[in-house]
Amino acid sequence: MDLSAWDFKQNKRIKLDGEWEFYWNQLLTPEDFKAAKPVPSTYMQVPSRWNGKAINGNRLPAHGSATYRMVLRNVPIHGIFALKKTNIRFSSSVYVAGRKLFEDGQPSTNAAAYRPGNVPQTGLFASDQNDIEIIVQVANYDYINAGIPISIYFGDQATMIDDQQKSMAREFSILAILSILSFIYFICFAATIIYNMRDYTLLLSGIICLLFSLYHGLIGERPLLYFLSGIPFEVLYKIKDMSSIAAFIVVALFFYQVHKNMISFKLTLAVTVVLGSFLVMVPFLSIHVYTRIHSYIIVFYELMLVWLLLKAAILYVRSPDTSRFKSLLLFMSILTINLYSLDTILFALSIKENLSLGQLYIIVFNIIMIFLIVLRFFEAYHTIDAMKDRLLQLDKMKDDFLSNTSHELKTPLNAIVNITDSLLKGVEGPVNEKQAQNLAIVTGSGRRLTHLVNELLDYSKMKYGDITLVMSSVDLKASVDSVIRVHQYLLGVNKFPL
């Protein structure tokens, strides 16, 4: 690559895209090129994958090793430069200006000595030469694609470090936002447990945010590696894939909880079983085995997301005006998770160089989920408020009924008491002792019923605060005597047995 026309002031960072020398099944060092210039097997486009490319009529497999080489000629300035590699599958060593700049994993010509590693790295080097040689050793015995699928960047030290810091800050911001949202959801779910009103959509939302934060911490610039540096790359790579699959299981459960017309219980169960089975297998399989199955799993959950999108669209079209806004939010949430999934697939296939758009989609998805959950709470509040008004109305109807009934009962009760009292006094003629006892019981019962009716009326007045309470003593002997006389009559005996 001739850099004599490079306008350093306008563009301090360039992509090293183009045709590189390509040496198949050889891991060459700068000393190999100083001793005698090897003949390249072919020229390989960077960025691209080598599997499927032809050398002498033979298609290259994904598993193997190779060396890439290019020379930057007529570098217009001298000083400290930086070289950044983002994605080289699936192990690499980079030599610049005759020395090793960095190594990721351990490339080897045989699978036994090979160790995987694929982490974005930036290396600094000083050069006062007009020509700079760059050699990249690559080996892959795990992944389904191999080579240098993402551009390698070369530029000024300050510019490259500034770009690295901005990229890392963006990655940490996404990680922090998702983690904080997850924490808030878990707190809200704990509050619903305290008040015995468990809302599992809050728990599922918290798990979704937690899984996606873990996933985003292990892709792109992989910011979580700053805290997990002691864990082998293969373990972290499996955790990354497992968190992604688990997130889509929880997404299916979330939409089942939000609206059961969108995804049936049987489909939710099928998604859980299929993705869950793969999730259980991943820790026990090697990367090169489970990545072959992973492609079919991706197709499966993509079909699920498309189905959810179709159901959400139908639901929106058929929804009444009162629930149209909620249906629109459901459709938008599923649309954003579809776009997010598509963006991550394009990134995994190295069609895209970064996940900035996908990160935006996942943030928008979580914002819409917050709207949906808040809307559910407001709907519950509106329902409770309407039920309260209805209960108040029924309570007033009950008070009116008691008041009217009490007034209607007072008239016949007064007549009964007055008539029996007059009979007891002998106004209509003398009565014998037995009749006098019976009339006394009727009179006492009538008066007690009258007092009960008056108490019902007093209860209605007490509710509205327009009653005056008068404290008075109670004749306990008379009350006990009244109770004994009533039970004596009910038992049909002349004398109450003591």
Side-chain angles (χ1 to χ4, degrees), residues 172-225:
F172 270 113
S173 298
I174 299 299
L175 185 63
I177 291 172
L178 293 175
S179 300
I180 291 171
L181 285 174
S182 176
F183 184 65
I184 293 173
Y185 283 131
F186 287 139
I187 290 176
C188 293
F189 177 70
T192 63
I193 293 177
I194 294 172
Y195 289 98
N196 295 321
M197 298 175 62
R198 297 186 182 184
D199 189 346
Y200 287 100
T201 57
L202 292 170
L203 176 63
L204 295 174
S205 299
I207 296 174
I208 289 172
C209 289
L210 185 63
L211 291 172
F212 276 131
S213 65
L214 180 61
Y215 177 70
H216 276 276
L218 295 173
I219 60 174
E221 296 292 339
R222 295 183 168 88
L224 278 181
L225 294 186

Side-chain angles (χ1 to χ4, degrees), residues 94-152:
V94 178
Y95 296 83
V96 179
R99 69 179 184 88
K100 183 182 286 188
L101 190 62
F102 48 74
E103 185 176 51
D104 197 359
Q106 183 176 325
S108 175
T109 54
N110 63 84
Y114 152 88
R115 189 177 72 252
N118 188 15
V119 178
Q121 290 184 342
T122 300
L124 304 178
F125 64 94
S127 177
D128 56 0
Q129 304 295 320
N130 291 332
D131 296 345
I132 300 175
E133 180 187 54
I134 301 174
I135 297 172
V136 182
Q137 297 177 350
V138 183
N140 173 54
Y141 296 95
D142 282 317
Y143 204 66
I144 54 177
N145 295 321
I148 308 177
I150 300 295
S151 299
I152 295 176

Side-chain angles (χ1 to χ4, degrees), residues 238-410:
K238 288 184 177 182
I239 292 174
K240 182 259 298 182
D241 285 338
M242 290 171 66
S243 62
S244 174
I245 298 299
F248 285 107
I249 294 175
V250 183
V251 165
L253 294 172
F254 173 80
F255 283 110
Y256 174 74
Q257 285 288 331
V258 170
H259 208 297
K260 291 180 173 56
N261 289 335
M262 291 182 55
I263 179 170
S264 65
F265 174 76
K266 290 184 178 179
L267 181 56
T268 306
L269 183 62
V271 170
T272 305
V273 170
V274 173
L275 298 186
S277 300
F278 177 74
L279 199 62
V280 173
M281 290 191 298
V282 168
F284 305 101
L285 300 177
S286 61
I287 293 178
H288 77 273
V289 172
Y290 87 76
T291 48
R292 299 180 184 277
I293 310 173
H294 198 190
S295 303
Y296 300 101
I297 295 297
I298 291 173
V299 172
F300 179 79
Y301 72 65
E302 280 298 313
L303 290 175
M304 177 201 73
L305 293 176
V306 172
W307 170 257
L308 282 174
L309 186 64
L310 179 62
K311 293 290 287 185
I314 295 173
L315 184 65
Y316 174 74
V317 171
R318 294 179 177 177
S319 61
D321 293 338
T322 54
S323 60
R324 183 63 59 89
F325 181 65
K326 181 180 178 181
S327 300
L328 177 62
L329 287 178
L330 279 171
F331 176 79
M332 293 300 297
S333 64
I334 298 175
L335 177 63
T336 52
I337 200 67
N338 270 272
L339 294 174
Y340 166 78
S341 178
L342 179 62
D343 195 76
T344 54
I345 291 173
L346 294 177
F347 178 78
L349 296 175
S350 303
I351 298 174
K352 292 189 61 180
E353 288 192 4
N354 59 69
L355 271 171
S356 56
L357 197 58
Q359 291 165 349
L360 175 63
Y361 289 142
I362 197 63
I363 295 299
V364 173
F365 170 72
N366 281 281
I367 291 173
I368 295 174
M369 281 207 310
I370 292 173
F371 268 102
L372 282 171
I373 292 172
V374 170
L375 192 62
R376 281 165 59 88
F377 275 103
F378 273 103
E379 286 178 348
Y381 176 78
H382 178 73
T383 302
I384 292 172
D385 192 57
M387 291 174 64
K388 180 203 71 174
D389 294 338
R390 179 61 178 164
L391 286 173
L392 289 174
Q393 183 182 9
L394 293 174
D395 188 59
K396 186 176 182 305
M397 291 172 63
K398 180 260 296 179
D399 291 341
D400 293 340
F401 171 76
L402 287 176
S403 179
N404 294 332
T405 304
S406 300
H407 282 292
E408 293 296 329
L409 286 174
K410 285 188 70 174

Side-chain angles (χ1 to χ4, degrees), residues 85 88-92 104-106 114-119 233:
K85 71 98 178 176
I88 299 179
R89 290 171 176 152
F90 214 51
S91 65
S92 59
D104 197 359
Q106 183 176 325
Y114 152 88
R115 189 177 72 252
N118 188 15
V119 178
F233 173 79

